Structures are given as C-alpha cells and as structure tokens.
Amino acid sequence: MRAERLPAREVPDAQRGGAVMSADRPSLMVFVADEASEAAIRGGIGDVLGAQVRRGTVRTAVKALEKETTPRVLIVDISGIEDPFAALDDLASVCTPDVRVLVVGERTEIAFYRDITRNVGVHEYLHKPLTRDNVARLFAPHIQGGAEGSQDRGGQVTAVCGVHGGVGATTLAVNLALQLEAATHSHVAILDLHLRGGAAAMMLGARVTSGLRIALEEPERVDALFLDRVGVPINDRIRLIAAEEPMEADVKPTEEGVRRVLEMLRQRFNHVVVDLPMPPGPVERLVLQRARHVVLVLAPDVASIRDTVSFRKLVTMTGSAGRVITVLNGAGRRGFLPTKLITEGIGAPPEVEIPDLSKQLPRAANLGRPAVNDCPQLRRALGYLTQEIAAVRSNERPRSLFARLFGRGG
C-alpha cells in the first residue's frame, strides 16, 4: 500500500517498540548500502552529536526502528529496493510522526524526485553518486534544524588557485572545464582573472578582447549583451571570458565588477571555472567566498607545503562555505618530494594526484590544444575531480574518490 504522507498512519506506542519519544532520542540515524555514500554523508554533515551511521537499506531501518527510538532525522537508502514506496510506507509504521526523512537512491528521473518528495512526504532525495557538497547543501540544513534548505539556483563556481606560481593552476582550470562539459554535457564558462599575462586563451588557441577589463572596472556598463560580446566560443557549450592586457597596463578591477560578472555567468552557465590569481586581494577573496569548490593546486616541493597550509587558513578566514580540494600536480617527478612527505606536510593526502606530465602539458600549451584531449593520464586524474564537483561517475576510475579521500580501500 502506498503512503500518502510519511509517516502515513498512527501506530499505538505499544506497537512501536522502542520508537516512543524519549529524552535520549538520537539526533540522526543513517542507513546506507555502500561505503562511498557513507563517506560522502559523513563528510557532508560534519560532526553531529549523537549521530548513528549503519550499513543497510530502508528495509534495515524498518527492522531497527521496530525496536529502537525514532531519531529526529533519518537518512535511508532505497537502492535495489523493488518497490521503494511500499518500503517507505512500512517505515512510516515504525516511526513517530515528527521524523524528518531524507532518502538516497539510484533513480535520477525528475518525475521520481517529484513523486517521492511531494506525494510520499520525504523531505529531500539525492541520487547516487553522492558528493560531500550535495549532502552539505541539501541534507545538512535539515539535520541542523533549519528550514527546507536554501536552493542556490545559479551555476556552480569553482575557483582554481595555484598555491604559488608555476604549479599548473591554469592548465588544470582549462582542462577541468573541458572535462566538466564532456562529462555533464552542461554549459561551462572559463573565467580567467589573470588580466595581464593570462595563459588560458593561449592554451585554447583563442583570441580575446578588452571587454572583461571594462566590465570589471566599470560594472555599470555590463548589460545583457556582455557575454555575447566578450565570451569566446571554444565549442557549442564552453565560453572563455578572459583578457590580455599589456604588462604596463594599470588594471583596477572592482569588487562590484567581479560580483556582477560572476552573477551574470552563473545565470547562463551550469559551471563557472575561475582561474584565480594569487596572492589574493579583495577581488580574489570575493571569488573565494562565492565558490562552491576551491581547488588548490600544489607541486611536490617544500614551498607548496608551506603555502597550502597558509592558503587553507585564508579560505577559512574569508568565510567561504566552499570545500577545499587539494590537487598535487607532478606526483612522482624526479628530484622532487614524494607524496608521502607532501601528505605529512599538509596534514592529509592530496585528494587528487596528477602524475608527472612535464613533456605532454607544455607541448599541448605550445600547440594551443587542450592536453586533456590527448593525455589519458590527465583525463583519468581529472575524472576524479569532475566526479566530486559535478556528481557524475567517472568512466576511468580504478579506485573510488571517496575511498581515497577517507583512506579506505576501493
């Protein structure tokens, strides 16, 4: 029988077993069927006092809650369940009416999402693969006692920053944007804020104008035609927004200019990848505050260890809610530090490792051809990063990204 609203019906306390309200009511119970989803949920919700995370599905939750106290918030997995609506109906019979139910599963159809959230009473639904970011945005507000959670309807901003010069941040930003478009078939903007000496246009074989500088210095001149005039088409779904001002130019971008450009890009593109100059001034800090993800690119050297630790503190100081993802570029390069020492220095393993491609990447840049097109090693490494940013599965994934993040076998 299908539930009209979860929980759907009243059950006498005597039939609820341990589900009667009590002073020691758990704040959160989680029942998920796989390790990757568990890791994403743990990372997305942070430390929740009294939280209980168990392996299983909604059926496991039903059996447990026949005897145990209903939590304030319940996360259940409906993956592999033949009739998820009937299973949720069974769940309703063993829970108190005030439980807030969040569901994860494998189905991605919008009709299913609407049905399960509007007709069954589930407060939120996320499809796999889960990411820490989606869990933090859509599940955490319910767990923290907020309302339904704020829906950010603009495109995602991903800031790519080199912890110091020469570590390959522009290379990563350009190729990440191409990988995002290929994996998601969405519209992607590349915003190069290196207004003097920026290399993104060169790597893509593109010619840019001075329109970006004008927009950043005089935001009142930015109108609806700005993107059509300034954005250089790389393909049908990717646009480059960049400038190539002379070194002697006195460029003075304003915070309002950057804010306006970012918002216009977010209205038109699903993903905005920003190649962000360092060290950060007021303009760069504003981008960090608005970024969903902050990708820190470091090299296998001592300076990168020092600057990565400092940069993480800076991101925290800006009040950014974005997740910091560390990318080690040039892992295994002869004469440089091994990954083990980098891990000890920054306090955790780099979340993405790009092998030493010191021959392939410069050659691609000199030809004005994106390296990801011809370099499977780079494509594979960026697949892990793309999965975390866009919640898509990578086709080249010998080991789970979530397993790597949490030091578990994949």
Side-chain angles (χ1 to χ4, degrees), residues 87-407:
L88 291 171
D89 193 31
D90 293 338
L91 183 66
S93 69
V94 299
C95 290
T96 53
D98 60 347
V99 64
R100 188 170 288 248
V101 179
L102 312 174
V103 176
V104 301
E106 297 176 329
R107 296 182 60 174
T108 60
E109 314 95 289
I110 188 63
F112 178 80
Y113 172 83
R114 289 173 177 166
D115 201 7
I116 200 170
T117 55
R118 294 180 183 179
N119 299 329
V120 181
V122 167
H123 287 79
E124 187 57 87
Y125 171 82
L126 280 179
H127 67 78
K128 297 180 181 181
L130 304 184
T131 68
R132 293 198 234 183
D133 174 58
N134 283 344
V135 171
R137 285 191 303 115
L138 300 176
F139 277 7
H142 295 281
I143 296 167
Q144 295 162 359
E148 294 300 314
S150 59
Q151 297 283 340
D152 188 353
R153 298 186 180 278
Q156 295 188 28
V157 175
T158 299
V160 180
C161 322
V163 297
H164 59 75
V167 298
T170 298
T171 298
L172 181 68
V174 167
N175 288 282
L176 172 62
L178 294 168
Q179 186 91 339
L180 281 169
E181 187 274 333
T184 64
H185 305 290
S186 58
H187 295 274
V188 180
I190 306 170
L191 175 60
D192 185 358
L193 289 181
H194 294 83
L195 304 183
R196 290 171 294 193
M202 178 188 69
M203 290 181 179
L204 291 165
R207 300 184 65 178
V208 298
T209 68
S210 60
L212 177 57
R213 175 183 176 179
I214 296 172
L216 296 178
E217 292 183 334
E218 305 174 54
E220 66 278 1
R221 297 180 60 178
V222 178
D223 56 21
L225 298 177
F226 162 73
L227 293 177
D228 296 326
R229 292 194 303 265
V230 177
V232 179
I234 305 304
N235 62 29
D236 290 342
R237 293 177 178 269
I238 299 180
R239 294 292 183 273
L240 170 67
I241 298 89
E244 291 185 348
E245 300 298 323
M247 288 297 178
E248 66 272 16
D250 185 19
V251 183
K252 296 180 179 179
T254 65
E255 292 183 55
E256 180 56 32
V258 171
R259 184 181 295 109
R260 184 162 175 77
V261 167
L262 276 180
E263 288 309 310
M264 293 197 71
L265 291 174
R266 292 180 68 242
Q267 292 171 19
R268 290 274 298 273
F269 296 91
N270 305 102
H271 293 277
V272 181
V273 179
V274 185
D275 184 11
L276 198 61
M278 290 292 110
V283 164
E284 289 76 24
R285 293 180 185 222
L286 185 144
V287 175
L288 292 174
Q289 290 172 351
R290 281 162 170 69
R292 180 81 57 79
H293 298 88
V294 178
V295 179
L296 294 187
V297 186
L298 60 147
D301 55 39
V302 174
S304 287
I305 293 176
R306 175 199 64 192
D307 295 340
T308 299
V309 173
S310 297
F311 202 101
R312 280 174 167 167
K313 294 179 181 177
L314 172 65
V315 173
T316 301
M317 290 174 59
T318 65
S320 171
R323 191 170 90 75
V324 175
I325 303 174
T326 51
V327 177
L328 176 61
N329 189 20
R333 186 177 301 168
R334 182 174 297 180
F336 286 73
L337 298 179
T339 302
K340 180 180 179 181
L341 291 182
I342 296 292
T343 298
E344 293 176 359
I346 66 176
E351 290 156 313
V352 177
E353 292 184 30
I354 299 175
D356 181 20
L357 303 173
S358 53
K359 293 181 180 180
Q360 297 93 323
L361 298 186
R363 183 188 304 121
N366 290 333
L367 293 174
R369 178 178 172 82
V372 74
N373 292 346
D374 303 313
C375 185
Q377 301 100 313
L378 179 62
R379 193 161 56 244
R380 186 178 304 115
L382 290 181
Y384 307 142
L385 187 57
T386 301
Q387 176 183 317
E388 181 63 11
I389 291 173
V392 295
R393 297 185 188 276
S394 169
N395 292 327
E396 300 180 271
R397 210 173 144 231
R399 190 175 178 217
S400 163
L401 172 64
F402 300 109
R404 294 176 71 248
L405 295 183
F406 285 82

